[in-house]
Amino acid sequence: MRPLVSIIMPAYNAEKYIGEAILSVQNQTFTNWELLIVEDVSTDNTVEIIKTACAKDIRISFQQLGQNSGTGVARNTALQISRGRYIAFLDADDLWRNDKLETQINFLQSNNFAFCFSYYDIISAEGVVTGTQVTAPESVTFSNMFSCNWIGNLTAMYDSDKVGKLTIDSARKRQDWNLWLTILRKVDKAHAIPESLAYYRRGNPSVSSGKIALLKHNDLVYRKFHQLHIVASIASMFLFLCVHFVIKPSYIRKLPQK
C-alpha cells in the first residue's frame, strides 16, 4: 500500500479560493492522502465550503480554532493530529499540479531523501498564470537557509519517519522558515525537484504577502529561533537582504507566453 500523505491547510476568510485549493488536492494522481484543514474563525463563507467538501470526501477533515490565532497555530494544530508518514503543505489560496504528490513521493523514495521541494509558478488573484516561475538551487543546507528561505511552503514535503513528528512555531509569519531550519538541523539537505509542481497566488490580501513587511519577522527568527544578540541579528539581516535582492532574483524566471 502506498504511504499516507498528510496535507496541512490553514484557512481564514478563504471563500474565494479554498474550493479550488481543495479540488487541486482531490485531483492528485496520488490518492492516499488526508487533507487536514484548520479554520481560523473566518467571517465569510469559508466554514460552509469546508463542511460541504468534508461531506463529499472522507479524506478531508477540519477543525475550527476557538479564536483567531494565526497561520502558525493553525498549521501546528493540523500537524499534531496528522497520521501520514509524509507531510505536505498547501495554503487555502494556492494550487497544486495534478501530479505533485506522485512526483515528490517517487523522488523521495527513489533517492532515499528525507526532505524535498520544487519550483512553483506565480498566478494572479484571479488564477491567471503570470509567466513568472520561482526556481531554487539544486539543494539547500541549514547554512543556505539561514540567509534565505529558498523553499516555497506549498512545495515542501518531508518524511516524518526520518525527521520525526515535528511541531511548528506559533508565530503568525515565517513559521514555515523556522520549520525548514528545524528539519535541516536533522538532515543534511533539502533537495529541489527542478520543475514547477504548484501555483502560488499573488495579489490577494494574504498573510503570506509583502516581502518587505516580513523583515521585522525575520528579526524575530534570528533573535528568537537562533537566539542571536542584536548585533548578530542585524548582521544576519544584512546578509539576508543581500541574498534576497542580489542572488535570489537570478532564480526567478520569466517564461515565454504561450
Side-chain angles (χ1 to χ4, degrees):
M1 184 176 178
R2 301 301 300 273
L4 179 67
V5 179
S6 295
I7 302 161
I8 310 302
M9 179 182 288
Y12 174 70
N13 285 353
E15 65 176 6
K16 290 183 179 180
Y17 310 114
I18 193 169
E20 289 181 80
I22 292 172
L23 185 60
S24 80
V25 174
Q26 292 175 308
N27 286 339
Q28 290 297 302
T29 56
F30 184 95
T31 59
N32 193 29
W33 49 260
E34 60 174 4
L35 175 57
L36 306 173
I37 306 174
V38 177
E39 198 282 319
D40 198 15
V41 195
S42 297
T43 57
D44 63 3
N45 201 40
T46 298
V47 171
E48 286 70 24
I49 295 171
I50 298 171
K51 286 181 176 179
T52 298
C54 290
K56 295 179 178 179
D57 194 330
I58 61 173
R59 297 172 297 177
I60 305 172
S61 64
F62 101 104
Q63 291 192 16
Q64 189 170 31
L65 298 178
Q67 61 182 15
N68 181 264
S69 304
T71 306
V73 172
R75 286 179 179 150
N76 202 41
T77 299
L79 282 167
Q80 289 172 342
I81 62 172
S82 63
R83 299 180 295 114
R85 172 177 175 177
Y86 293 97
I87 308 295
F89 300 85
L90 181 64
D91 284 349
D93 53 356
D94 296 331
L95 304 170
W96 281 347
R97 206 174 76 181
N98 290 356
D99 61 345
K100 191 262 189 189
L101 292 181
E102 188 86 44
T103 300
Q104 288 191 291
I105 291 291
N106 290 340
F107 181 75
L108 289 175
Q109 292 187 334
S110 62
N111 293 287
N112 196 29
F113 290 154
F115 187 18
C116 74
F117 62 104
S118 76
Y119 302 169
Y120 59 92
D121 289 317
I122 304 295
I123 59 175
S124 69
E126 295 74 29
V128 177
V129 175
T130 65
T132 299
Q133 185 176 94
V134 180
T135 72
E138 181 179 346
S139 63
V140 294
T141 63
F142 182 92
S143 178
N144 300 140
M145 284 292 291
F146 181 84
S147 55
C148 182
N149 184 3
W150 290 102
I151 300 175
N153 179 75
L154 71 168
T155 75
M157 179 184 285
Y158 67 87
D159 183 345
S160 66
D161 279 3
K162 294 183 183 297
V163 304
K165 182 87 169 182
L166 302 175
T167 56
I168 200 167
D169 196 299
S170 62
R172 286 182 176 264
K173 298 181 182 180
R174 289 313 208 196
Q175 75 284 145
D176 54 341
W177 189 18
N178 285 346
L179 180 58
W180 315 150
L181 288 164
T182 298
I183 295 172
L184 289 170
R185 280 178 167 164
K186 296 173 176 285
V187 300
D188 291 338
K189 295 178 181 179
H191 301 270
I193 297 174
E195 59 181 299
S196 175
L197 298 177
Y199 301 91
Y200 172 80
R201 195 181 303 269
R202 179 173 289 172
N204 54 293
S206 165
V207 71
S208 58
S209 65
K211 296 292 185 181
I212 300 301
L214 292 178
L215 289 179
K216 65 178 181 180
H217 298 280
N218 285 21
D219 181 63
L220 287 176
V221 170
Y222 290 130
R223 296 179 67 180
K224 179 181 177 182
F225 182 81
H226 295 288
Q227 297 184 330
L228 302 180
H229 58 71
I230 188 168
V231 175
S233 177
I234 291 172
S236 298
M237 186 69 72
F238 178 76
L239 177 60
F240 170 87
L241 291 172
C242 289
V243 173
H244 184 78
F245 289 108
V246 178
I247 298 175
K248 195 169 185 179
S250 66
Y251 287 92
I252 299 176
R253 300 173 178 171
K254 194 66 178 178
L255 303 177
Q257 296 290 336
K258 297 182 180 179

